[in-house]
Amino acid sequence: MNNKKSAQVTQGIEKAPMRSLFYAMGYTKEELDRPLVGIVSAKSDIVPGHAHLDKLVDAIKTGIAMAGGTPIVVPAIGVCDGIAMGHKGMHYSLASRELIADSVETMAEAHCFDALVLVPSCDKIVPGMVMGALRVNVPTVVCNGGPMLAGNVKGQKVSLSKMFEAVGARKANMINDEELTEFEQGVCPGCGSCAGMYTANSVSCLCEAMGISLPGSGTIPAVYSGRIQLAKHAGMAVMDMLEKDIKIKDIINERSIKNALTCDMALGCSSNSVLHLLAIAQEAGYDLKLETFNEFSDRTPNLCHLAPAGPTHMEDLDLAGGLQAVLRELSDLDLIDTECMTVTGKTVGENIRYAVNKNEEIIRPTNHPYSSTGGIAILYGNIAPDGSVVKRSAVAPEMMVHSGPARVFDSEDDAISNIYAGNIKDGDVVVIRYEGPKGGPGMREMLNPTSALAGMKLDKTVALITDGRFSGASRGASIGHVAPEAASGGPIGIIQEGDIIDIDIPNHVLNLRISDKEFAHRMDHLTILPPKIDKGWLKRYAGLVQGANIGAILK
């Protein structure tokens, strides 16, 4: 490998000062003569999905060394959305995706790594690392930390969404303190990304669908030995890619992103996957449009109902054959481009040749889906001329079409206090605005309000719309990403208390029921509130961030 990128810091007389710094860390000449492979690790002691990543990093280092490379570990940050939920911390969550992308780009370019292995697990960290690696465009493998096992409460398998719903149930006096404590201690039994098809597991599965991670990477539980074995193979795989000169942009491109879109709809992924696929596509050079999601949703059957949409969890999907079995089912309808290259050095078609659906209740066959359309829908209308997003696979049938009076709040905090106080009634449409990418800033997740409604048994009678976003753990008629956002002068800002809002998810419609004359009058007299945080790097973020309809990217 005479054309190694790392030769810029390891080879030649003029590079002697750089080599001296490597020697100061204990590297040998033999190691510096090999390719330098950066391992970007999000290990920390504050995120359950990242607490165990050091074990995977050790395994990846072994795989790289076995295949003739020199592994070099560098750090990445990561926010735990569950811990950041419902307070100022959540403003930093989505915004941190950009910091992570920038840091991956910085570390890889500054130190001339020949290849990368990305070791994330949770929400923004996975797409952030991928975005940064796309800018560098070297051989890259994503080796995520794997999902948490489901917990157990009262003999039922549960995960984090049930914990948040239990808070709503306790506020409504439907359970007592002892029962709440039982949930606290039972829903999260160990390390890994929370056990449902929430955002972390959604994006990890979509990485596998794009071919940038090894088969099994999206579903093998964090605590299984198979995850360690997978990590060793990831280290070997990136060295094989380096030998064959297969770079990340050879794998992530328009064709593979369309495979991910198809899987997104079949799996019933988190609505956050829309934000992240839009942003990843931009870095890959593919101008993905929001309306494309509806095109794929309309033609793709929904095959899986994992939590929060149903009672099954990631470990069940893994036992049923994992994402490779899902890809095989979809390929039978010619919905998957099987010629796309993957990190195995083989095509998608070669990878799934022997995949088997081992449980047709977990992965429905395409002739018996949960629905004929995909798990996500994009809604348009006078409230959301640039679109909005709903995870329709987690919406009760009776809420697919709904009209009701608006209950308007200019922050998540005001909304949740009114929900907890019992001020939201059957039929209401809760509107939470000034929580978008700019107005938040940071587009906070609204898991507390949606879970409170679900815990109070209002998720089948009350809708919620916001220019913010929802956790993958949210369920119900929760419509987010309303664009333009209120802070950009979007029409969501003119909704008044008691206005009737019409929701028609099957027909992709979200409208405010007022006359055109009244609509124009309100828009002419709209007063826009400033972002809630006006200092630190979030002030800079609010000035640069674009709308949710283009992935909340920075420009």
Side-chain angles (χ1 to χ4, degrees), residues 172 208 211 214 264 305 376 380 396 442 461:
E208 187 176 337
L214 291 171
D264 194 334
H305 261 195
I376 287 176
Y380 294 92
T461 59

Side-chain angles (χ1 to χ4, degrees), residues 44-292:
S44 74
D45 294 337
I46 194 60
V47 185
H50 295 170
H52 65 302
L53 294 185
D54 54 333
K55 308 298 189 300
L56 295 187
V57 166
D58 287 344
I60 294 165
K61 290 170 69 175
T62 297
I64 291 169
M66 287 171 62
T70 297
I72 300 176
V73 183
V74 296
I77 65 167
V79 171
C80 177
D81 279 9
I83 295 174
M85 195 72 64
H87 58 89
K88 182 181 179 180
M90 183 47 73
H91 291 286
Y92 290 85
S93 175
L94 178 63
S96 72
R97 187 187 69 184
E98 313 312 313
L99 293 181
I100 293 162
D102 291 349
S103 67
V104 171
E105 175 190 3
T106 299
M107 295 301 286
E109 294 287 26
H111 304 105
C112 299
F113 292 144
D114 296 298
L116 292 170
V117 180
L118 309 177
V119 194
S121 192
C122 293
D123 295 24
K124 269 55 59 191
I125 300 88
V126 182
M129 284 192 184
V130 170
M131 290 162 64
L134 281 163
R135 299 173 191 171
V136 180
N137 195 29
V138 295
T140 301
V141 175
V142 175
C143 183
N144 63 295
M148 186 185 294
L149 293 174
N152 191 294
V153 176
K154 300 185 185 299
Q156 299 293 317
K157 289 173 69 172
V158 293
S159 53
L160 188 65
S161 57
K162 293 296 183 183
M163 179 70 254
F164 278 88
E165 291 176 18
V167 174
R170 179 65 191 91
K171 290 285 187 178
N173 290 316
M174 294 177 177
I175 62 173
N176 58 34
D177 288 340
E178 289 73 21
E179 291 170 303
L180 183 66
T181 299
E182 187 176 356
F183 274 98
E184 282 182 50
Q185 298 178 351
V187 296
C188 296
C191 64
S193 46
C194 298
M197 189 55 78
Y198 310 143
T199 306
N201 292 323
S202 292
V203 183
S204 293
C205 284
L206 297 184
C207 282
E208 187 176 337
M210 286 186 285
I212 198 61
S213 57
L214 291 171
S217 185
T219 59
I220 297 173
V223 296
Y224 284 10
S225 62
R227 181 60 59 175
I228 299 292
Q229 294 163 353
L230 185 88
K232 292 177 181 177
H233 284 295
M236 296 182 227
V238 81
M239 293 302 298
D240 183 59
M241 292 173 70
L242 189 58
E243 181 68 32
K244 295 174 179 175
D245 195 30
I246 300 173
K247 298 182 174 68
I248 186 171
K249 284 190 175 181
D250 297 321
I251 293 174
I252 298 182
N253 48 47
E254 179 176 349
R255 292 166 61 198
S256 65
I257 290 169
K258 287 180 176 178
N259 279 348
L261 277 170
T262 300
C263 284
D264 194 334
M265 302 307 163
L267 292 169
C269 287
S270 163
S271 57
N272 282 318
S273 64
V274 175
L275 283 174
H276 299 319
L277 283 177
L278 287 167
I280 288 169
Q282 285 290 322
E283 297 289 357
Y286 168 37
D287 188 20
L288 176 61
K289 303 295 186 183
L290 188 61
E291 54 265 27
T292 305

Side-chain angles (χ1 to χ4, degrees), residues 379 390 395 398-407 409 419 424-432 449-450 453 458-466 470 475-480 501-505 510:
L379 311 186
V390 62
V395 178
E398 55 266 47
M399 289 299 291
M400 292 297 234
V401 178
H402 178 78
S403 296
R407 304 298 312 281
F409 305 98
I419 293 171
I424 304 302
K425 307 300 181 186
D426 288 343
D428 285 348
V429 178
V430 176
V431 177
I432 306 177
T450 59
L453 293 172
L458 292 172
D459 57 301
K460 295 180 180 180
T461 59
V462 172
L464 195 155
I465 70 171
T466 181
F470 295 106
R475 62 185 174 96
S478 304
I479 303 164
I501 294 175
D502 297 317
I503 300 167
D504 186 344
I505 294 173
L510 177 64

Side-chain angles (χ1 to χ4, degrees), residues 24-48:
M25 294 178 280
Y27 290 96
T28 66
K29 180 181 184 302
E30 291 78 7
E31 286 175 299
L32 299 188
D33 286 340
R34 296 177 175 184
L36 304 185
V37 182
I39 303 173
V40 186
S41 173
K43 164 72 170 88
S44 74
D45 294 337
I46 194 60
V47 185

